[in-house]
């Protein structure tokens, strides 16, 4: 049964704040280094990127999935995906919601784009802003392409998300109205993980997926969150069905960063260097103790506000998850450097990839004693600590990434 590790939410060079060097070729190359077998194309709504995809990809016959043209033996396949932003008024407030789209073919992508073009300028951004209520947009998408899937994206981040503190909702039904029954999955985002979402009984019927939302092809961004499937046959339909049915035999697990690593996990104020857990933020009335201005409410606090279950609750037959951290970030932390892209980090990283084949194999399954031999005891121990989920992370807040701490473990530059 083929094992598929899929990162279905990324962006093209046509989205804001993305690498201009993103190409299909670069994604395929670095996806293989990461250990991914399936990557979302991202941004199929952008006319120029869609044109690039139609030139650069060819379908694996009968699958609804694609490989780089002329490379039928590619280790990395592609699913046609995109992200849209809907902005609309509801009960006197402006709501800004992002949605991940999975679509079964490049031909369907054209149909979806035609349906969406009347709501906004699709050329303005790889993730276009559409001025229409979410239910209306979802209905138009599914009329154009019934097999396309709409998934609320990074559902807890303060801005642009389903449950976002700044512009979201308290209930999925309030956002999607009569289209709510067509939603069957939710994307956790970097600042939340399945245990946080399991605290809301209202979310039990939805599958939880995880993706990187990467804005580059570098392996410390690409695949930092992903989904693990065991499938009889690797097709668009099989993957969608495994998600829809929350089938733990096929949808085996999600790969998550520790949610404290995410940029909006705790409540805080970046300008003042202030961050705090939910209890303290609520005690302070959501105001910064230094400047008195409103704090950016973190995901942990937002979950606490809506949760009807205690921490630690796990639903029966829930799809499993594993916490990982990007290998570049681990090496950089042990070296004491703030950049994952420095020469010393690359030297160690490349040695491990050469020895074990790809990054996820290093993080998930490389034997400890071989890791000691190839990378030294400190890095081997850090990887083991990650597998055992015993790495402390100083929580991220207000746009600042969290910081992992490996106590007593260092590498010499």
């Amino acid at each position: 049964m083929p094992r598929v590790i899929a990162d279905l939410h990324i962006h093209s060079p046509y989205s804001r704040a993305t690498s201009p060097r993103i190409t299909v070729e670069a994604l395929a190359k670095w996806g293989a280094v990461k250990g991914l077998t399936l990557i979302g194309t991202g941004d199929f709504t952008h006319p120029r990127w869609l044109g690039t995809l139609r030139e650069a990809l060819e379908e694996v016959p009968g699958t609804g999935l694609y490989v780089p043209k002329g490379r039928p033996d590619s280790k990395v396949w592609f699913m046609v995906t995109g992200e849209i932003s809907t902005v609309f008024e509801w009960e006197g407030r402006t709501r800004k919601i992002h949605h991940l789209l999975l679509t079964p073919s490049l031909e369907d992508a054209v149909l979806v784009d035609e349906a969406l073009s009347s709501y906004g300028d699709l050329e303005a951004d790889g993730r276009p802003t559409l001025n229409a209520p979410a239910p209306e947009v979802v209905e138009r998408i599914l009329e154009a392409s019934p097999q396309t899937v709409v998934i609320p994206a990074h559902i807890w981040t303060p801005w642009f998300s389903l449950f976002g503190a700044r512009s979201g909702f308290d209930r999925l039904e309030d956002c999607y109205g009569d289209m709510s029954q067509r939603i069957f999955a939710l994307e956790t985002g970097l600042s939340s993980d399945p245990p946080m979402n399991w605290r809301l009984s209202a979310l039990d019927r939805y599958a939880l997926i995880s993706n990187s939302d990467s804005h580059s092809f570098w392996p410390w961004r690409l695949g930092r969150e992903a989904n693990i499937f065991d499938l009889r046959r690797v097709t668009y339909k099989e993957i969608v069905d495994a998600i829809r049915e929350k089938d733990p035999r096929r949808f085996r697990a999600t790969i998550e960063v520790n949610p404290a690593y995410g940029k909006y996990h705790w409540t805080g104020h970046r300008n003042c260097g202030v961050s705090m857990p939910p209890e303290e933020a609520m005690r302070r009335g959501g105001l910064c103790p230094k400047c008195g201005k409103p704090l950016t409410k973190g995901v942990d606090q937002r979950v606490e506000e809506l949760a009807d279950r205690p921490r630690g609750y796990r639903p029966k037959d829930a799809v499993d998850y594993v916490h990982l951290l990007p290998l570049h970030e681990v090496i950089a932390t042990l070296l004491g450097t703030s950049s994952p892209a420095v020469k010393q980090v690359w030297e160690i990283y490349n040695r491990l990839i050469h020895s074990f084949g790809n990054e996820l194999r290093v993080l998930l399954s490389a034997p400890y004693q071989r890791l000691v031999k190839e990378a030294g005891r400190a890095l081997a121990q850090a990887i083991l600590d990650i597998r055992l989920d015993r790495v402390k992370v100083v929580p991220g807040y207000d746009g600042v990434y969290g910081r992992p701490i490996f106590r007593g473990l260092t590498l010499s530059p």
Side-chain angles (χ1 to χ4, degrees), residues 197-219:
N197 288 270
W198 292 338
R199 297 188 62 197
L200 279 73
S201 60
L203 304 187
D204 284 355
R205 77 178 187 89
Y206 303 100
L208 301 175
I209 68 168
S210 294
N211 302 291
S212 70
D213 197 0
S214 181
H215 286 216
S216 80
F217 51 78
W218 295 119

Side-chain angles (χ1 to χ4, degrees), residues 93 95-98 152-176 183 185-188 192 196-197 200 202-204 206 208 297-303 305-306:
R93 287 179 53 198
R95 313 292 175 149
K96 301 177 181 180
I97 314 297
H98 284 186
H154 44 71
I155 61 172
W156 292 102
T157 51
W159 293 273
F160 305 106
S161 75
L162 173 60
F163 297 126
R166 293 298 180 94
S167 62
F169 296 82
D170 289 351
R171 299 179 345 121
L172 181 141
E173 292 79 6
D174 292 336
C175 177
Y176 289 100
I183 306 297
L186 307 171
E187 185 183 60
T188 59
S192 88
M196 294 173 69
N197 288 270
L200 279 73
L203 304 187
D204 284 355
Y206 303 100
L208 301 175
K297 186 181 293 184
V299 169
D300 203 19
Q301 181 179 345
R302 183 69 173 138
V303 170
E305 291 174 349
L306 299 183

Side-chain angles (χ1 to χ4, degrees), residues 30 45 60 83 91 101-102 137 154 180 230 236 246 284 308 312 322 335 370 372 381 413:
W30 291 105
T45 55
V60 180
E83 185 184 13
E91 290 195 344
L101 308 182
L102 317 179
V137 172
H154 44 71
S180 296
D230 285 336
Y236 174 86
K246 297 194 299 180
R284 293 182 178 276
D308 58 352
V322 59
L335 284 172
R370 278 198 64 197
V372 172
Q381 185 62 51

